[in-house]
Amino acid sequence: MKIGFIGAGKVGTALGDYFHKKGLILSGYASRSLQSAKEAAQFTNSIFYSTYEALIADSDIIFLTVSDGAISSVWNLIKEIPMQDKIFCHCSGSISSQIFSDIHTQGAFAYSIHPLLAIHSKEHSYDNLTRAIFTVEGDQLHLDTIVHLLEGLGNPVQSIPTDAKPLYHAAAVFASNHVVALAKVSMDLLMDCGFDESSALSAITPLLMGNVSNIANAGPTLALTGPIERNDTSTIQKHLDCLDTSYQTLYKELSKVLIGIGKEKHSELNYEEMMHLLI
């Protein structure tokens, strides 16, 4: 099966490079920018197409690797092109395959395929993609084909229901974007203690990296340490006393989650007093 890409940015180019190096056959790239299509094709040892019609005709699987906000408009632009038995995919984490409206009237099939990682550059994504899980949702008819194709790359693959896409993406945001927010809060508090921005980042980096490693190796329950885990109400009260209202709210809500984890780790401890502090 030949794989083509509409959209030649970092996601499309990185995926094409990954697929090519893993032995899949690429048709090539078409893009609003012909120069971008040429560069992506050169990078992936494929060819560029001057029209979407030509790429679709020459491909069995077509990825729309455009921004989330452009998927619908690009689909509306191409949806009347002959596409019998073609498979169309996008790579959005939050949008389902249902964005390919009326695709069944064309005899084609729709899927969303999302590698669960942030692709920052086309040049340096290969190693990260080798470790990524791919999630898939869409038409049942060729779902097994898509799953087997991705599993053949050596990646774990998880199929999810179409209506679970928002929940799936929220889970990804907690593990990715919200960690960035927590790092920023930590740095801000250290800067209030006299650190400059650079030294604050240097200070929290070993803590962040060590914690992520512990979670990855042992899971969140065994990785939990600190005052919540040991039911240290005195320390928690001191933290609450020194934080402003907005940070207090964030601290309390996160601490309630940690209490649930603490109970799993230490069933012998009574966390009632701790919960009372967090109301």
Side-chain angles (χ1 to χ4, degrees), residues 116-130:
L116 190 54
L117 82 163
I119 296 178
H120 295 293
S121 75
K122 63 183 182 183
E123 293 88 356
H124 304 294
S125 293
Y126 179 85
D127 288 340
N128 289 333
L129 281 166
T130 63

Side-chain angles (χ1 to χ4, degrees), residues 16-28:
D17 179 57
Y18 184 63
F19 291 166
H20 169 66
K21 288 177 178 176
K22 286 289 188 173
L24 300 184
I25 301 171
L26 303 188
S27 50

Side-chain angles (χ1 to χ4, degrees), residues 67-262:
S67 66
D68 286 11
I71 294 172
S72 180
S73 60
V74 172
W75 172 246
N76 287 330
L77 187 66
I78 66 173
K79 64 191 294 186
E80 300 304 325
I81 295 172
M83 56 179 65
Q84 181 73 34
D85 295 327
K86 305 290 186 179
I87 292 173
F88 283 81
C89 313
H90 68 69
C91 296
S92 169
S94 61
I95 299 171
S96 80
S97 61
Q98 291 180 337
I99 199 168
F100 294 118
S101 59
D102 304 319
I103 191 169
H104 296 122
T105 64
Q106 286 280 58
F109 306 92
Y111 300 88
S112 67
I113 298 175
H114 184 247
L116 190 54
L117 82 163
I119 296 178
H120 295 293
S121 75
K122 63 183 182 183
E123 293 88 356
H124 304 294
S125 293
Y126 179 85
D127 288 340
N128 289 333
L129 281 166
T130 63
R131 297 188 292 268
I133 184 172
F134 283 82
T135 57
V136 182
E137 66 81 23
D139 286 303
Q140 287 298 312
L141 186 59
H142 293 295
L143 187 62
D144 286 346
T145 299
I146 296 295
V147 169
H148 292 155
L149 182 76
L150 296 172
E151 287 178 338
L153 303 174
N155 293 82
V157 182
Q158 177 69 48
S159 60
I160 62 174
T162 296
D163 60 7
K165 284 287 286 192
L167 187 62
Y168 159 77
H169 195 247
V173 167
F174 271 111
S176 179
N177 308 126
H178 286 175
V179 173
V180 175
L182 292 176
K184 180 63 166 62
V185 170
S186 178
M187 289 177 61
D188 286 348
L189 294 177
L190 287 178
M191 290 167 70
D192 287 343
C193 298
F195 287 69
D196 61 28
E197 185 174 5
S198 177
S199 61
L201 179 58
S202 296
I204 68 170
T205 294
L207 194 60
L208 285 169
M209 300 299 288
N211 208 34
V212 168
S213 178
N214 290 338
I215 293 169
N217 291 326
T221 300
L222 292 178
L224 179 62
T225 62
I228 294 288
E229 188 249 352
R230 62 179 180 265
N231 202 20
D232 184 352
T233 55
S234 175
T235 296
I236 297 300
Q237 184 63 67
K238 290 177 182 177
H239 292 171
L240 294 172
D241 289 342
C242 73
L243 294 172
D244 65 29
T245 302
S246 61
Y247 284 171
Q248 270 191 13
T249 300
L250 178 63
Y251 188 96
K252 287 180 178 180
E253 293 306 312
L254 292 172
S255 294
K256 290 174 186 176
V257 176
L258 293 180
I259 285 176
I261 300 172

